[in-house]
Amino acid sequence: MPVAPSLEPLARGAHIGGDPGGVGSRTLYLLALAALVGAAAVPVAKALLLLIGLITHLSFQGRWDWTLGTPGHNHLGAWVIAVPVIGSVIVGLMARYGSPAIRGHGIPEAMEQILLNRSRISARVLWLKPLSAAISIGTGGPFGAEGPIIATGGALGSLFGQWLHITPDERKTLLAAGAAAGMTAVFGTPVSAVLLAVELLLFEFRPASLLPVIGACSTAAALRVVMLGNHPFFAMPQLAWPQPGALLASVLLGVLVGLAAVAVTRALYAVEDGFDRLPVHWMWWPALGALAVGLIGWWQPRTLGVGYENITDALSGTLGVGALLLLGGAKLVSWSIALGSGTSGGTLAPLMTVGACLGAVLGYGVAAAFPGLGLDPRMAALIGMAAMFAGASRALFTSVVFALEATWQTSGLLALMIGCASAYMVSGLLMRETIMTEKIARRGVRVPSAYQADPFAQARVADHASMQPVSLPASQTVDELRRWLQQQGSAAHQGYALVDEAGQVVGVLTRRDLARPGLDPQTPLASLVTRVAVVVRAGESLHDALNLMTLHGVGRLPVVDDADGVTLRGMLTRSDVLGAWRQRALHATRLGH
């Protein structure tokens, strides 16, 4: 017969402990793996940028050069229209006969794998995604390299997790770590990359997952300095600290850019819906979209390619209002058509180009109409760049910190926070989904949008269990128990804790145990116990109790003394746990209580 002292190893080994997000030996193991993923992401990012540069120069200048060139500097004339079309035909073939997963932004696809596929990404994506993106961007696609490298880094982390013996939750952490390291490798923005992982990929905020992501990004940032140098990605003149009037104007800027972000998101998916209705196979959609890219690129060459220099020019104040309007509008149309066609490309750089141009134009307008506010148009461009991404993706903290890290303009911190928060608020009021979640939401995938502490991790078992339990003596016979149950009638429970003479738990007995065929009425109850009782201490959390119930498939747990772990103090049932949840739900909906 199982005895109480043997319960402790089973009960304690069946759950993580009092803090479900706490740091343990597995965290150190994941941290080491994430650092390896972060180290691998840097040469992968460097290779992608070199490949984009090579394809760009071959496509538009007809020469070998690995630097990140500008497609706008070409002498092809009207023939420039054909270059994006050729590249998109190749990408379409790669998507159809290689992997359809290479289509799209990169981040939404990673979200989908996390939520639906236990963070498993095919090995083919690891090389098909960057290669297809390099071809798409190198032949004039109006995308940034960050989306593909984020997807590639995520695939790298996922594959690490598939090769090793780790849980799906740990594999999700490695996927997020790889994606964040990829972003760090491109922009040199490790803090905002960590925040991107938290806001868009991890769907949680706990040390066990956060530390490995930090390790990956820190490793990637250090190696990036060695390989690419240490300088702001978007260099611009140093800005002065904004005055109160400029901070007030930041609210207006954020609201207007937030409205624009909503319009941009809806326009993108309207284009995507239009392609869905075309009577041709989706493999040919990128080529049709690229025709528009080529035509716009012939008219406005600066819209072709990654266009990082466009963001720098908008932030630096070197473009006039007319040039800003043409560049921002043309880039928006070109990018939305290209991405809506299902080709391979990212969203971050195009959104920031449009946002920086819009912010600068609004800044010039505010400065002309209200010179007393002291709003610098360059500061307005910086706010517009970040607020556009905040409004479209609702990655609020990522947007603020990215603008600071990418430009080294610490003086813009407060203005950025105000502007991005305003855009975030407008987006939340007017748009249920975001540019990152709309596509997968249409497929029935529900993406978490808010993170909060686990209420069960904060609730003690003793506060919700019945602390005056009805127990049964282990020496009692089956016949005696049956007579007692008949006397209890409807007041009888479905299960009882068995205790010895010292009040220590021996096991748990249910009515199902008494229904065994051929049971001798004189059999002691202790003889019916076939498994070690799973118990929970009175001071432990409901989170621990739920883990025990789930792992062992039981519906009730004897509550034992915190000191010795065997003396019965109460009984916790599934109804008690549901009662705790009901209590929390009522408190959350009652105003003034």
Side-chain angles (χ1 to χ4, degrees):
M1 179 184 69
V3 294
S6 66
L7 304 179
E8 184 65 8
L10 176 61
R12 298 302 302 169
H15 60 89
I16 298 172
D19 180 7
V23 177
S25 58
R26 295 291 295 182
T27 309
L28 296 177
Y29 177 58
L30 275 183
L31 182 58
L33 292 178
L36 291 176
V37 173
V42 177
V44 170
K46 178 66 175 177
L48 174 61
L49 295 175
L50 291 174
L51 187 57
I52 291 174
L54 175 63
I55 296 175
T56 300
H57 285 291
L58 287 176
S59 300
F60 292 94
Q61 282 86 35
R63 59 188 176 88
W64 285 81
D65 192 331
W66 297 87
T67 60
L68 199 61
T70 303
H73 299 160
N74 67 81
H75 303 286
L76 297 177
W79 286 105
V80 76
I81 301 172
V83 177
V85 175
I86 295 171
S88 293
V89 169
I90 297 173
V91 171
L93 291 169
M94 292 175 66
R96 181 171 184 180
Y97 298 106
S99 173
I102 67 175
R103 306 172 68 218
H105 316 197
I107 295 179
E109 289 73 23
M111 285 181 170
E112 188 171 25
Q113 296 307 309
I114 289 172
L115 294 169
L116 295 184
N117 198 28
R118 303 174 72 187
S119 303
R120 294 180 180 273
I121 297 178
S122 169
R124 286 183 295 179
V125 176
L126 183 61
W127 63 273
L128 280 176
K129 183 65 176 181
L131 179 59
S132 64
I135 294 172
S136 176
I137 299 170
T139 55
F143 311 109
E146 65 288 332
I149 191 56
I150 287 173
T152 304
L156 185 65
S158 174
L159 291 176
F160 263 70
Q162 293 175 58
W163 293 332
L164 302 170
H165 186 63
I166 62 176
T167 67
D169 194 56
E170 291 170 334
R171 187 163 57 243
K172 176 188 72 173
T173 299
L174 284 186
L175 188 157
M183 177 177 172
T184 301
V186 173
F187 291 113
T189 54
V191 179
S192 58
V194 171
L195 294 173
L196 178 84
V198 171
E199 293 186 299
L200 296 181
L201 296 174
L202 286 173
F203 309 115
E204 63 186 13
F205 188 91
R206 61 190 182 104
S209 56
L210 188 61
L211 290 175
V213 175
I214 292 175
C217 291
S218 300
T219 304
L223 290 179
R224 183 186 185 277
V225 171
V226 174
M227 296 182 66
L228 302 176
N230 188 28
H231 50 79
F233 195 85
F234 300 122
M236 59 182 296
Q238 184 62 43
L239 300 177
W241 288 87
Q243 298 302 311
L247 295 178
L248 182 63
S250 299
V251 178
L252 176 62
L253 282 174
V255 169
L256 294 176
V257 175
L259 291 171
V262 172
V264 167
T265 302
R266 290 176 175 170
L268 173 63
Y269 285 101
V271 172
E272 192 170 282
D273 291 340
F275 276 99
D276 282 336
R277 290 190 288 268
L278 291 178
V280 295
H281 192 278
W282 59 258
M283 181 186 73
W284 302 107
W285 296 353
L288 296 176
L291 182 61
V293 171
L295 288 168
I296 295 173
W298 183 30
W299 171 52
Q300 290 292 322
R302 295 189 67 152
T303 61
L304 297 171
V306 291
Y308 291 140
E309 72 283 352
N310 297 331
I311 300 175
T312 301
D313 290 343
L315 294 175
S316 301
T318 59
L319 299 177
V321 172
L324 289 166
L325 287 173
L326 282 176
L327 174 60
K331 186 75 171 184
L332 172 60
V333 174
S334 177
W335 164 73
S336 59
I337 293 176
L339 194 59
S341 70
T343 192
S344 179
T347 59
L348 192 56
L351 281 175
M352 290 186 172
T353 300
V354 175
C357 290
L358 177 60
V361 169
L362 293 173
Y364 282 121
V366 171
F370 307 100
L373 294 179
L375 178 65
D376 188 333
R378 295 172 299 179
M379 178 68 79
L382 184 63
I383 296 170
M385 178 186 79
M388 178 62 74
F389 187 66
S393 69
R394 290 211 277 275
L396 175 60
F397 296 108
T398 301
S399 304
V400 174
V401 178
F402 177 86
L404 295 177
E405 288 187 293
T407 62
W408 295 8
Q409 297 290 335
T410 56
S411 58
L413 173 59
L414 185 54
L416 282 167
M417 186 167 63
I418 293 172
C420 289
S422 300
Y424 183 96
M425 179 186 66
V426 169
S427 173
L429 289 172
L430 300 180
M431 189 167 59
R432 180 175 181 178
E433 301 296 338
T434 72
I435 201 167
M436 301 299 179
T437 64
E438 177 69 26
K439 177 184 292 186
I440 57 178
R442 293 180 176 188
R443 300 172 187 162
V445 181
R446 299 193 65 179
V447 182
S449 59
Y451 314 133
Q452 58 186 354
D454 182 358
F456 287 147
Q458 304 169 42
R460 286 196 325 145
V461 167
D463 295 331
H464 297 278
S466 173
M467 299 308 288
Q468 294 181 340
V470 179
S471 60
L472 301 175
S475 59
Q476 192 176 42
T477 66
V478 171
D479 185 56
E480 291 172 335
L481 175 57
R482 285 173 175 171
R483 289 200 304 261
W484 179 80
L485 288 174
Q486 289 177 354
Q487 294 173 0
Q488 295 297 310
S490 61
H493 299 294
Q494 293 298 314
Y496 297 90
L498 295 183
V499 296
D500 59 16
E501 295 178 355
Q504 297 182 347
V505 178
V506 172
V508 174
L509 196 68
T510 67
R511 291 198 180 193
R512 182 182 300 175
D513 296 321
L514 297 177
R516 298 178 192 172
L519 196 60
D520 186 349
Q522 300 305 314
T523 302
L525 297 182
S527 300
L528 302 181
V529 177
T530 59
R531 58 182 294 182
V532 175
V534 184
V535 301
V536 64
R537 293 180 187 267
E540 292 189 278
S541 69
L542 287 184
H543 176 91
D544 297 331
L546 277 173
N547 273 345
L548 288 169
M549 288 180 174
T550 303
L551 292 173
H552 293 275
V554 297
R556 58 191 57 80
L557 296 173
V559 180
V560 296
D561 188 81
D562 283 324
D564 61 27
V566 289
T567 303
L568 183 67
R569 289 287 180 262
M571 182 69 79
L572 181 75
T573 66
R574 281 181 293 225
S575 297
D576 296 327
V577 177
L578 289 174
W581 183 262
R582 179 178 182 274
Q583 186 181 47
R584 175 188 176 275
L586 290 175
H587 288 170
T589 56
R590 286 178 177 172
L591 297 178
H593 294 276

